[in-house]
Amino acid sequence: MNFPGSPYFVLERLLEEYRNGLRSPEDVARSLDIFDSFVSQWNEGLMALPVEPSVLPDGEETLNGSFQGLECFSEASAMMRDFLASGDESLADQALDTARQGHETLESLFFETARRVETLQNEVG
Amino acid sequence: MTGGFNPMYGGSPGFNPAFGGAMGPGMGGPGGCCCGGGDPRMMMMQQLQIMEQMLNMMAMMMGGGGMGDMMGMPGMGGDMMGMPGMGGGIPNFGGGFPGGGCMPGGFGGVPGGFGGAPGGFGGVPGGGFSPGGFGGVPGGGVTGPIQGGAAGQGGQAAVDYARRFLGRDSYTLKGQMNNFTAAGGKTNNCADFVCSALQSTGQLKGHFVGVRALEQALQRQGYRRVPAQQAKPGDVWISNSRSHTELVSAPGGRRTIGSNNIRQGFQRISERDKNPASGVYYSKG
């Protein structure tokens, strides 16, 4: 997996630090608030993108994929909170799995979009 | 370090002009004209510019944008470390529409600010969350529809009704919960559930199984968007991306009940804490 600073890796590290006793539940909860705020900002940013179907017919599809990726992160955060509340380790595993799905979704979209940008740049000259 | 936004992103409400949607001069204008019969090269330029913006957003998200730093994890910051070919600074992002030519450099610079609000989705693992006293009715065994509208009044009645289904797999509510259609099969029943709770207790007229359709119906029927602090039981929470909705079950929007994902492609009714910054709230006026 690329992007070692991605939300997935942030969550993974947060969990690791919690399990190692480096963070209290309250600290993790505060960090998840920050995490959620970032995801929210990104959601807003995506919604503000001027994707016109008439200009970029499949732009909405890419955007929807991005939203889904972000939703995975939000979902993972919610699961982490559930883990904190219940202590059920399986929830932590589910949270990471869900975040990984988000990561992979966005990673795939990123590379596909980068490839298309490069192609377009070559065509535009 | 509470809830504030990374200064890297500007933090101010409102959007960065870079993402603000205004097409630059000569780019065809916001209405998306100049398509079809327009100059193909100009069209490609427009596509390129939009895609560059999308790419920039993705780069920011995948880089973490400084999220790790704000959580006290130095070294996980918002750069593109480890990304092959993404090392350098970035030309062109940050203000209006660039004139193309971004890829060669890489990403790094992050544009100004997005404003505040939220997104989010559901996802609650099975079990462990229904508040005492309401207990789910797991697994079925209930015959005939459960009538709504008994317990509380107004919005609280919708919450009370919704709570009767805690712990149930959403698709099993068809025939049990008034008006519920299980339109999304085993998933995507969030709007169906919220709408059924409201409709069955007289809080909403009509049935809407899509989040956007539900939002429009709420607006038409007198619901108004309110700050989270003003949200009360029976109000409606909707994620920013309009992909998920739940019913507010506690004052201040701090708890919600809804048809939430417990794994990919499967939803169950659960009640859970909600970060008030994670969506928008509609309240009946």
Side-chain angles (χ1 to χ4, degrees):
Chain A
M1 293 166 80
N2 296 290
F3 302 104
S6 87
Y8 164 70
F9 287 109
V10 168
L11 273 188
E12 184 185 51
R13 183 158 159 189
L14 189 62
L15 183 61
E16 184 185 327
E17 291 182 356
Y18 174 68
R19 283 172 168 162
N20 291 336
L22 299 174
R23 286 180 187 265
S24 67
E26 295 75 23
D27 188 21
V28 175
R30 278 193 297 273
S31 293
L32 290 174
D33 286 343
I34 295 171
F35 184 95
D36 290 341
S37 297
F38 271 81
V39 174
S40 298
Q41 286 178 325
W42 296 334
N43 252 310
E44 289 283 331
L46 283 177
M47 282 193 290
L49 286 177
V51 176
E52 285 287 338
S54 54
V55 176
L56 196 62
D58 58 353
E60 196 151 336
E61 191 180 329
T62 305
L63 264 188
N64 286 338
S66 302
F67 280 129
Q68 282 171 19
L70 288 184
E71 283 166 3
C72 285
F73 292 144
S74 289
E75 195 171 351
S77 171
M79 288 173 172
M80 281 284 282
R81 290 179 197 275
D82 293 345
F83 161 64
L84 286 179
S86 69
D88 181 350
E89 285 285 338
S90 71
L91 298 181
D93 295 338
Q94 281 182 47
L96 283 189
D97 282 347
T98 304
R100 187 183 297 111
Q101 284 173 29
H103 180 108
E104 288 170 355
T105 299
L106 287 170
E107 183 181 52
S108 161
L109 284 170
F110 175 86
F111 285 119
E112 171 62 18
T113 306
R115 187 190 61 73
R116 292 183 58 193
V117 164
E118 193 173 16
T119 303
L120 270 174
Q121 281 178 336
N122 290 335
E123 288 177 18
V124 170
Chain B
M1 199 75 75
T2 55
F5 294 129
N6 188 339
M8 259 179 104
Y9 299 120
S12 61
F15 299 109
N16 181 348
F19 296 105
M23 302 290 261
M27 290 302 168
C33 52
C34 85
C35 305
D39 177 357
R41 190 167 186 281
M42 181 63 81
M43 183 72 151
M44 278 197 287
M45 288 289 289
Q46 284 182 284
Q47 290 179 341
L48 180 59
Q49 287 163 352
I50 294 170
M51 291 186 68
E52 282 174 349
Q53 284 193 310
M54 294 172 88
L55 191 59
N56 189 37
M57 273 298 301
M58 290 174 196
M60 180 166 52
M61 295 186 290
M62 294 305 282
M67 173 195 280
D69 289 339
M70 284 191 73
M71 293 183 189
M73 299 174 183
M76 297 207 71
D79 54 21
M80 300 294 292
M81 46 188 182
M83 279 301 298
M86 298 294 171
I90 201 180
N92 295 330
F93 289 120
F97 265 110
C102 107
M103 274 307 282
F107 305 94
V110 168
F114 302 110
F121 190 56
V124 153
F129 248 125
S130 41
F134 293 107
V137 194
V142 179
T143 56
I146 298 173
Q147 299 303 316
Q153 291 190 333
Q156 185 63 49
V159 174
D160 292 341
Y161 187 51
R163 279 177 171 155
R164 297 186 197 184
F165 303 96
L166 280 170
R168 297 278 298 272
D169 297 338
S170 66
Y171 76 95
T172 68
L173 301 189
K174 189 173 180 181
Q176 305 279 319
M177 183 181 201
N178 286 335
N179 300 303
F180 186 81
T181 63
K186 293 189 175 179
T187 185
N188 297 331
N189 289 321
C190 60
D192 199 350
F193 179 77
V194 168
C195 188
S196 296
L198 294 173
Q199 187 184 5
S200 302
T201 53
Q203 303 302 305
L204 189 72
K205 291 185 174 66
H207 195 70
F208 310 91
V209 297
V211 177
R212 287 173 192 275
L214 174 62
E215 183 176 20
Q216 288 165 5
L218 291 171
Q219 291 166 343
R220 282 196 305 271
Q221 296 186 34
Y223 282 74
R224 293 286 174 267
R225 202 166 146 175
V226 296
Q229 310 90 279
Q230 293 176 22
K232 58 188 188 305
D235 290 349
V236 178
W237 171 91
I238 297 177
S239 72
N240 263 349
S241 60
R242 273 42 178 187
S243 59
H244 190 54
T245 182
E246 295 177 52
L247 197 65
V248 173
S249 60
R254 300 291 304 193
R255 282 181 75 77
T256 52
I257 179 171
S259 178
N260 296 316
N261 284 357
I262 58 167
R263 59 178 181 272
Q264 196 162 18
F266 199 89
Q267 292 190 337
R268 182 172 291 159
I269 310 306
S270 61
E271 183 170 3
R272 59 189 180 156
D273 290 337
K274 177 73 66 191
N275 177 354
S278 68
V280 297
Y281 292 84
Y282 281 92
S283 183
K284 195 165 189 178

